[in-house]
Amino acid sequence: QVQLVESGGGLVQAGGSLRLSCAASGSRFTIGVMGWYRQAPGKQRELVATITNGGISNYADSVKGRFTITRDNAKNTVYLQMNNLKPEDTAVYYCDVLALRYYWGQGTQVTVSS
C-alpha cells in the first residue's frame, strides 16, 4: 500500500507563490507518472500537471508559464511550484502517483485572495 503525504498549501495573495510537495512511501513497485490535480468548490477535479519518471511534464493550459512540476526520484517526491497565483487557482490540490495502480493524496487547500 502506497502512502502519500502532501504539504505546502495555504493562503496567499494574488501574485504570490506556493510550493506543494507530495512524498510517496511504501511502494514495492517503481513509481511511474506523478501528478497534481485540483478541485474547486462545485467543480470537477481537473488535471494541473503530470511528470513521468523520465522528467517529461505536461500542464493544463490554465497554468502553463506559471506552475512548474518537478520530481526527485530518489525521494519518490513530486513538487509543484506555483507562481503568479490567481484567485481562480483556489482549490484543494491532490497529488496522484502510479505504482501498479493510481494512488491519491489526502489533498491540501490552496486559497488565493484577490
Side-chain angles (χ1 to χ4, degrees):
Q1 188 75 7
V2 176
Q3 292 80 42
L4 301 178
V5 178
E6 301 169 355
S7 61
L11 172 65
V12 65
Q13 288 187 332
S17 298
L18 285 173
R19 189 190 193 213
L20 305 183
S21 300
C22 175
S25 62
S27 177
R28 294 187 297 142
F29 305 98
T30 299
I31 292 178
V33 174
M34 307 178 84
W36 290 94
Y37 290 71
R38 66 187 181 187
Q39 187 166 18
K43 295 187 177 181
Q44 290 188 331
R45 190 172 297 189
E46 63 176 5
L47 168 73
V48 176
T50 61
I51 186 167
T52 68
N53 52 12
I56 298 173
S57 57
N58 177 57
Y59 296 92
D61 288 343
S62 59
V63 306
K64 283 181 180 177
R66 300 187 298 123
F67 291 11
T68 302
I69 188 170
T70 58
R71 66 189 283 171
D72 184 333
N73 291 332
K75 296 181 180 180
N76 286 335
T77 300
V78 62
Y79 306 94
L80 185 68
Q81 177 67 42
M82 306 184 292
N83 298 328
N84 190 21
L85 282 159
K86 303 176 181 180
E88 51 263 43
D89 295 318
T90 295
V92 178
Y93 283 70
Y94 299 89
C95 73
D96 86 310
V97 302
L98 176 61
L100 195 61
R101 70 170 181 90
Y102 283 99
Y103 294 86
W104 290 92
Q106 78 283 2
T108 184
Q109 177 69 46
V110 171
T111 303
V112 184
S113 63
S114 57

